[in-house]
Amino acid sequence: MSHLVIAPILLPAVLAGLILLVARGIALQRLIALAGAAGFLALALLLAGRGGAPVAYHLGNWPAPFGIVLIADGLSVLMLLLLAVVALPVLVYTMASGWDARGRHFHALFLFLLAGLAGAFLTADAFNLFVFFELLLIASYGLMVHGGGAGRLRAGIQYVGFNLVGSTLFLFALATIYAVTGTLNMADLAQKWPLLPPGDQALARVAAVLLLMVFAVKGALVPLQFWLPGTYAAAPGPVAALFAIMTKVGAYAALRLGWLVFDAGPTAGMWAELLQPAALATLALGAVGVLGSRDLPRQAAFAAIGSMGLVFLCVAAATPGATVAALYYLIHSTLAGAALFLVADLAGRRGASGPVAALFMASAIAVAGLPPLSGFLGKILLLQALEAQAPLIWSAVLLASFLTILGFALTGSARFWKARGTAPTAAEPLALAATGLLLAGLVAMTLLAGPLTLWLKGVAEGLADPAPYIAATAPQSGG
Amino acid sequence: MEIVLSAAIGILAASGTWLLLRPRTFQVIVGLCLLSYAVNLFIFSMGRLYVGAPPIMPKGGFVDPTIYADPVPQALVLTAIVISFATTALFLVVMIASRGFTGTDHVDGREGGQ
């Protein structure tokens, strides 16, 4: 049994504890955090290098379903890699811009957030998923109010309150699932879910909808998106950039459990039916929000909502082709959204100088899905995958894209072209480079779209055929 | 017993929800506490209700499954209690800080009607 699977959770958690215990000065904290993020990237690459077959890690060597199992399969590894690729530039940006010195404990919280996200991506136990959600949320509460200030704390109250209610709902859902199936291990659930007796099916459906609501809160799906715009706009820029991947946890969990457990037995097709209208409404709200907001962070927040609408639209379609599109767009929108939040922060702190304007142009093109960047390819994949419902979905997607472009053109010309007020000061070169690195990731996604979609196809097939995932959970001799 | 317990969970959850929708942070946090009590009782009861049945195997390892309570929900509820305790404490800190910065305990950071 390889201990590599648990390493992406342990490494940041241990380093975060180390920072809290020994690192008083900011320089040492920065060093440890950088080492943590770089090590995390190395671990994600190592896991990706093992190939797509699911690898299980039984904690304490307890056999499943009694013990907790972590599984690194194609989807988990993909999300880990994406997290690592976003986290490193964001961390560099934070250091270059001095955001991390505006309050204490930024780096410890940052590493705890990495540990929580990694755990959520790796766990194969539904209750363990709840625990890692709480870990990442507690870290994110601290990061969200980092730097203080009335506006940030006011938004913080609403963010924390909303998510605490979400956690309570999560517990209600898990308890109901346990009551009808007697297990919370995902692979075990996948086997027991289709065989539920008729008397328990109503309860099972209630639990599935409750769980979907929890993921909708995390993924900012209309009508549960109210916490997002205020939070992301008020959070420090680099933190908002990191949060760009936190909303994707909702999509990840919906993909994982939707394919593995809930598209069978009493709840077959139910999530898809509920998700599609919500995703369309999310897309529309995101586009109108981008058009309606006048400051950049808020606009970036609404763009994040709109991108979740597109991702969930593909998740709802629940075909392997649509899953490939969902994953491609998920990677794209995480990178592009993070870059846009960093640009918004640069423009807010340093004014609209030339390089910042160029970065804004590039990231706005990416977020709106214009050629030549990968948003365009993502949208084409998406439109192809959803061809069956072309009249409704195509017009919604295209109209939303148009509104988004219009919104960015409006703020772009007001903020960067006719920039008035104080003259901009030169931005930190390292901060510009970190933002550019995220955008370079988008360029790479465009150039390597062929191999990337092939890889994603493998991931989607792994989701569609859960047998290896379930087999990996079974206890192995000699572990 | 079932009626009393489910009524208790229902009343706790309903009061918690009502308090959550109130505009003062103190009411919100009391509402969250009540909701977490409701969910803890709910998880506990999902292992079915037993009277006088221990959840832990005695030394020697003999188990008669008909007189044993399900230990898993009890373990789950312990985890849930610890986590909700931690998050409530953290929420209190954010609330107190916000009270200090904004000078009001309204959830919007300003009095209504302003």
Side-chain angles (χ1 to χ4, degrees), chain B residues 19-91:
Chain B
L19 280 172
L20 265 182
L21 302 173
R22 305 293 301 159
R24 302 284 156 195
T25 50
F26 181 72
Q27 295 165 321
V28 170
I29 201 153
V30 173
L32 274 170
C33 285
L34 291 184
L35 258 187
S36 71
Y37 296 158
V39 80
N40 289 341
L41 284 175
F42 183 74
I43 300 174
F44 186 72
S45 61
M46 282 304 114
R48 310 296 186 266
L49 296 174
Y50 297 94
V51 177
I56 299 173
M57 208 192 286
K59 207 169 181 182
F62 173 73
V63 167
D64 178 3
T66 53
I67 55 159
Y68 274 81
D70 189 347
V72 177
Q74 309 197 1
L76 297 185
V77 87
L78 275 178
T79 316
I81 289 171
V82 172
I83 289 178
S84 74
F85 186 69
T87 49
T88 307
L90 205 138
F91 197 25

Side-chain angles (χ1 to χ4, degrees), chain A residues 129 186 211 215 253-263 271:
Chain A
L129 184 67
M186 290 184 196
L211 208 54
F215 299 151
L255 266 179
R256 164 73 74 217
L257 287 172
W259 276 101
L260 191 61
V261 180
F262 290 113
D263 200 17
W271 276 20

Side-chain angles (χ1 to χ4, degrees), chain A residues 442-469:
Chain A
L442 293 177
V443 175
M445 273 188 77
T446 319
L447 294 178
L448 302 175
L452 184 61
T453 41
L454 262 185
W455 183 29
L456 296 180
K457 208 171 272 174
V459 172
E461 278 160 9
L463 276 178
D465 173 27
Y469 190 91

